[in-house]
Amino acid sequence: MAAQSPVAETAPESRDDYLLSWAAITQMLARGFSLSGRERNSCFLNLGEEQFADASAVSGFDFLDDGRALGLVDWDFDGCLDVWALNRNGPQLRFLHNRMGEKGHSLGLRLRGTRGNRDAIGARVEVQLGGDKQVKMIRTVRAGAAFLSQSSKWVHFGLGSSDAIEELVVRWPGGLVERFRSVKADRHYEIIEGKGELVRWNPPAGRVTPQAAEVEAPVISDLARVVTAARPLFPAISYEKPDGTSGRIDEFVGNPVLVNLWAAWCQPCLDELADFGRHRQSIEGVGLQVLALNVDEATADGEEARREKARRVLAELKYPFDSGTAGADAISALDALQMMNLGMQIPISTPTSFLLDDRGLVAVIYKGPVKVEELLKDVARLQGPPREWRNQAAPFPGRWVSPALGSEPVRVALKMVDGGERGAAIAYLRQYVEKARLREIPESKEESGLLSTPLEEVLFVIARLHRQGGEKGQAVAAFQEVLQMNPNDRKALLDLGHLYLRNGQPSLAAGHLETLVKNSPQNLDALSLLATAKMQMGDLAMVDDLCRQILLLDPNHATAYLNLGLLAESRQDFSGAIGNYRAALKILPTWDIALNQLAWILATSPEDELRDGTQALELATRLHQITRESQPVFLRTLAAALAENGRFEEALKFLEQAKSMIRARQVGLRSTFATMERLFRLKVPYRAKDRR
């Protein structure tokens, strides 16, 4: 990852691989992988003269932890530094007590600044040892000690066998230097900036001596009962009934239902289903319905054979409730639902069950078999008000210091998208919107006491997902729904303006962007897109005004310089265009559009004094290395630059490659290519037309 870290400002699209790498690492950690590769912690002893010894085992540091941070502190003020260690996994915090048999001498200092910062961050302390050693030791007061770490602000010196301190020098951050003599070893002192004196400090009485404790690792189990703090909506999945007809989970709304996923090869699944049958009367007595969905993969014998096998197994178990088979899309949706409610992102397994209340909201997720006695207790708790859901989810009583979060349908939907189910994600969010509008789920804080996701935010994500899939019409309609709820929604106005621009509808884009700019006059994204829309509409004066307004707010706004360059080029002000393109590239050196525009002018300008074939070829080559054969106009620029340098055969080769990429509607580009080809065959460089 460090090797891929951008070392200079780059265009957003150039950072995609880097950001995707971080996303992949985050997903791996969520699935139980370790950044440390499950290696033991290490501790190295400095032997001097650039030599170290591995003291990991003998020091007791070699825990099999996924370590993150270390804090050094003389916790018991015995002159030896102890360690607090922070881990990503459990135990998340360890105290390592320094109990070395032979202790040397030490010195502890606490500095307090009066002229600079109070903690004396940046102060340097020098201790000159006397006696035979005559060694100078140096420490600096730091605000951070290592990754995610802050050690004690006490400045600690381990003096070894020497107890003779010849001189102590404190160099304060503000430049003041204070010197002290008559410093005793094995003591703690406070030094206040400017006072010129050492004040002895004694550790507090009644200190507790740390006692070692054995850390017992918890038993790892796949079994879990997860009570949801804010009941999420269960996806409206379809399944196949035993007779081959289609069923929907919606049919059970109005009564609590347990949706159970099982497989014929899974013995715990079969034991659980048989247990449901034995307790049929108790289950029906509390009004609970059970739907057992078989998730076995289809075999070469086909779906009918799969259904028949499931029917036979259930009959042998004397299972008395509803059943069916779930397809891959239903399993994927339920996998996303359970992952959203679990910290460890482990794929769904069998048996897994979801207990739904009478509104189709998930109250409990059971990983592994559920005992009927426990199930019946959970059913009895279903009728509690939404304000009590979080209390039921907590493993112990207490008082909450933050408001309860409500259902988070967007998180479930994004899990579905991660699984490649974008259509299912949209359907799930639409299901949530419909039920919220019908008040079938607790959507408002006043109703439930929960901080739920606003409907306009859900609709906005629906619009984004449609746009991601190239469904422009549905995306526009969803953005319009957001604006019906909130006409000034900034994200919807911006995205809708961007979408209209991409659809070649600059006037519609400008209307929404003008509304956004009116409400948020310093919104740089809106100003930049509005300038692009006005450019396409031919309102050049407005483009100039908008770009200069942007640069007043942000002098390093590359897009504003690009638009000013395009504006100057449209006015045949090639010198002005060159200056603005150079300014854009100074900010984003690898921006393909700015590279292309600048290289094109330098290669083809009708003004002799502006052309620079050498630099044009350098820029066009760099552009080609970045983009390869992604755009015909980029290859056109490279061909023009080669021709300007007299390399006509190479220019014709790239021009031919560019011609093969032209789409049917790019008539103007096709005409330009024909002219360039004719000239290159005559060994004549191409010149852009001067329309002034």
Side-chain angles (χ1 to χ4, degrees):
M1 285 304 302
Q4 294 188 30
S5 300
V7 296
E9 185 67 30
T10 57
E13 56 271 19
S14 302
R15 298 193 292 265
D16 286 350
D17 288 344
Y18 175 72
L19 297 176
L20 287 173
S21 297
W22 271 119
I25 287 178
T26 301
Q27 289 180 356
M28 290 175 69
L29 290 175
R31 291 170 184 161
F33 289 83
S34 167
L35 282 177
S36 67
R38 309 204 185 282
E39 295 177 336
R40 291 186 176 275
N41 292 339
S42 297
C43 175
F44 296 94
L45 179 65
N46 189 347
L47 302 178
E49 299 182 357
E50 301 181 356
Q51 293 186 359
F52 290 83
D54 187 343
S56 307
V58 71
S59 66
F61 264 90
D62 61 339
F63 293 106
L64 194 60
D65 295 341
D66 204 350
R68 281 295 170 276
L70 290 177
L72 304 181
V73 56
D74 185 359
W75 189 254
D76 50 2
F77 297 105
D78 65 349
C80 298
L81 286 177
D82 307 302
V83 178
W84 284 100
L86 179 70
N87 303 310
R88 194 182 68 84
N89 57 357
Q92 291 193 322
L93 191 64
R94 285 187 186 272
F95 176 67
L96 305 180
H97 188 206
N98 190 338
R99 295 183 298 181
M100 293 180 61
E102 295 183 9
K103 295 195 301 183
H105 299 285
S106 65
L107 175 67
L109 304 172
R110 183 70 169 95
L111 307 187
R112 298 203 180 277
T114 58
R115 304 177 185 179
N117 65 85
R118 176 177 170 79
D119 288 331
I121 303 299
R124 192 175 75 169
V125 183
E126 302 171 5
V127 170
Q128 178 69 53
L129 297 181
D132 297 335
K133 289 199 171 182
Q134 292 293 315
V135 173
K136 178 186 284 187
M137 309 178 74
I138 300 175
R139 300 284 186 272
T140 301
V141 183
R142 303 181 185 277
F147 179 69
L148 296 178
S149 304
Q150 170 63 65
S151 292
S152 169
K153 296 268 188 351
W154 279 93
V155 182
H156 178 87
F157 288 90
L159 307 180
S161 59
S162 176
D163 62 352
I165 300 175
E166 185 174 295
E167 185 181 41
L168 169 66
V169 180
V170 180
R171 303 182 186 275
W172 298 92
L176 176 66
V177 178
E178 294 186 280
R179 300 176 182 274
F180 304 92
R181 292 183 177 272
S182 301
V183 183
K184 302 295 185 182
D186 300 317
R187 291 186 180 180
H188 295 82
Y189 295 99
E190 281 191 302
I191 304 176
I192 300 177
E193 184 179 12
K195 288 289 186 73
E197 61 179 347
L198 295 173
V199 178
R200 185 171 179 181
W201 183 90
N202 294 310
R207 287 173 289 148
V208 176
T209 302
Q211 299 296 321
E214 291 294 329
V215 178
E216 294 185 10
V219 177
I220 298 176
S221 172
D222 293 331
L223 305 181
R225 170 181 171 270
V226 182
V227 181
T228 60
R231 298 178 185 175
L233 179 64
F234 193 80
I237 60 171
S238 298
Y239 64 95
E240 199 170 65
K241 296 181 178 181
D243 60 5
T245 60
S246 179
R248 287 180 61 84
I249 200 69
D250 300 12
E251 299 168 5
F252 294 89
V253 173
N255 296 287
V257 59
L258 183 75
V259 180
N260 173 268
L261 306 184
W262 69 281
W265 51 264
C266 168
Q267 189 59 47
C269 299
L270 305 183
D271 295 340
E272 181 181 45
L273 293 173
D275 195 39
F276 291 161
R278 288 191 293 270
H279 293 85
R280 174 177 183 174
Q281 187 174 357
S282 299
I283 292 173
E284 291 180 338
V286 296
L288 177 65
Q289 301 179 82
V290 180
L291 173 63
L293 295 178
N294 179 259
V295 296
D296 285 314
E297 294 183 2
T299 64
D301 297 330
E303 283 296 322
E304 179 55 37
R306 175 192 177 195
R307 288 196 300 271
E308 178 56 35
K309 181 179 180 180
R311 283 195 295 265
R312 186 177 66 254
V313 170
L314 293 177
E316 292 173 356
L317 295 172
K318 298 181 180 180
Y319 171 80
F321 301 104
D322 291 297
S323 64
T325 54
D329 54 347
I331 298 171
S332 179
L334 298 183
D335 189 27
L337 177 65
Q338 63 103 24
M339 281 192 179
M340 194 278 289
N341 286 277
L342 300 176
M344 192 66 72
Q345 302 293 281
I346 298 175
I348 199 166
S349 58
T350 55
T352 293
S353 300
F354 300 85
L355 178 60
L356 315 185
D357 64 17
D358 56 3
R359 291 185 284 190
L361 307 180
V362 182
V364 187
I365 301 174
Y366 304 100
K367 302 285 291 180
V370 54
K371 298 295 183 182
V372 171
E373 180 181 0
E374 183 176 53
L375 175 62
L376 297 178
K377 290 179 181 178
D378 286 334
V379 172
R381 300 187 187 101
L382 290 179
Q383 298 307 313
R387 295 174 185 272
E388 293 297 319
W389 293 349
R390 188 163 61 153
N391 292 334
Q392 295 173 6
F396 46 78
R399 291 191 304 169
W400 298 100
V401 297
S402 62
L405 293 175
S407 179
E408 298 181 274
V410 170
R411 288 185 59 202
V412 179
L414 293 181
K415 287 292 182 186
M416 294 178 179
V417 173
D418 289 343
E421 298 291 340
R422 186 183 58 84
I426 294 174
Y428 181 76
L429 293 176
R430 278 293 177 192
Q431 177 191 356
Y432 178 88
V433 170
E434 179 182 347
K435 286 186 171 291
R437 284 173 171 168
L438 295 174
R439 303 184 70 82
E440 293 180 2
I441 56 177
E443 195 269 330
S444 68
K445 185 174 185 297
E446 291 73 20
E447 175 192 357
S448 64
L450 307 177
L451 295 178
S452 297
T453 307
L455 278 189
E456 54 263 38
E457 184 175 331
V458 177
L459 288 166
F460 178 80
V461 175
I462 291 173
R464 277 274 180 96
L465 292 175
H466 278 305
R467 192 184 72 178
Q468 179 183 327
E471 299 151 356
K472 298 177 182 178
Q474 293 96 318
V476 168
F479 281 131
Q480 294 288 11
E481 284 187 80
V482 177
L483 294 177
Q484 287 173 9
M485 299 187 70
N486 180 7
N488 295 317
D489 188 284
R490 296 180 182 182
K491 294 190 297 183
L493 287 168
L494 186 68
D495 273 41
L496 194 51
H498 191 266
L499 187 58
Y500 278 133
L501 272 178
R502 296 189 66 179
N503 287 349
Q505 299 170 288
S507 59
L508 290 175
H512 292 290
L513 294 169
E514 284 169 347
T515 300
L516 179 53
V517 168
K518 181 180 179 181
N519 296 326
S520 304
Q522 296 188 349
N523 188 315
L524 292 173
D525 291 333
L527 288 167
S528 182
L529 284 177
L530 182 56
T532 303
K534 292 296 184 180
M535 176 78 77
Q536 294 180 15
M537 294 167 64
D539 191 348
L540 303 185
M542 180 60 74
V543 174
D544 193 55
D545 289 344
L546 288 167
C547 289
R548 300 197 184 283
Q549 184 179 345
I550 292 169
L551 291 174
L552 286 175
L553 296 170
D554 179 9
N556 293 316
H557 199 283
T559 305
Y561 284 115
L562 177 74
N563 280 329
L564 285 173
L566 294 171
L567 179 61
E569 195 172 351
S570 70
R571 293 170 172 169
Q572 301 288 292
D573 177 11
F574 297 113
S575 178
I578 288 173
N580 282 297
Y581 293 146
R582 289 193 193 282
L585 288 171
K586 187 175 181 181
I587 301 165
L588 295 178
T590 60
W591 195 4
D592 53 5
I593 299 175
L595 282 169
N596 181 69
Q597 295 300 126
L598 180 56
W600 177 254
I601 293 179
L602 294 176
T604 68
S605 173
E607 301 177 31
D608 294 343
E609 64 275 13
L610 295 181
R611 283 197 311 280
D612 186 335
T614 301
Q615 189 176 20
L617 184 56
E618 178 187 332
L619 293 169
T621 302
R622 192 197 317 170
L623 174 65
H624 182 62
Q625 291 170 346
I626 294 171
T627 63
R628 295 301 174 183
E629 290 79 30
S630 62
Q631 296 288 340
V633 290
F634 296 164
L635 293 174
R636 176 200 66 172
T637 299
L638 179 57
L642 287 165
E644 181 62 21
N645 285 272
R647 296 161 61 176
F648 293 101
E649 292 301 323
E650 294 174 77
L652 285 167
K653 185 185 77 169
F654 282 107
L655 191 63
E656 189 64 31
Q657 189 176 346
K659 284 169 57 180
S660 67
M661 300 168 65
I662 300 176
R663 292 190 291 270
R665 66 174 183 270
Q666 294 176 303
V667 179
L669 198 58
R670 193 179 298 277
S671 174
T672 301
F673 280 13
T675 302
M676 293 176 71
E677 182 178 6
R678 177 175 55 80
L679 290 171
F680 294 170
R681 294 193 184 282
L682 295 173
K683 303 291 190 282
V684 177
Y686 178 80
R687 296 287 175 265
K689 294 180 180 179
D690 191 339
R691 300 184 180 85
R692 289 176 291 185

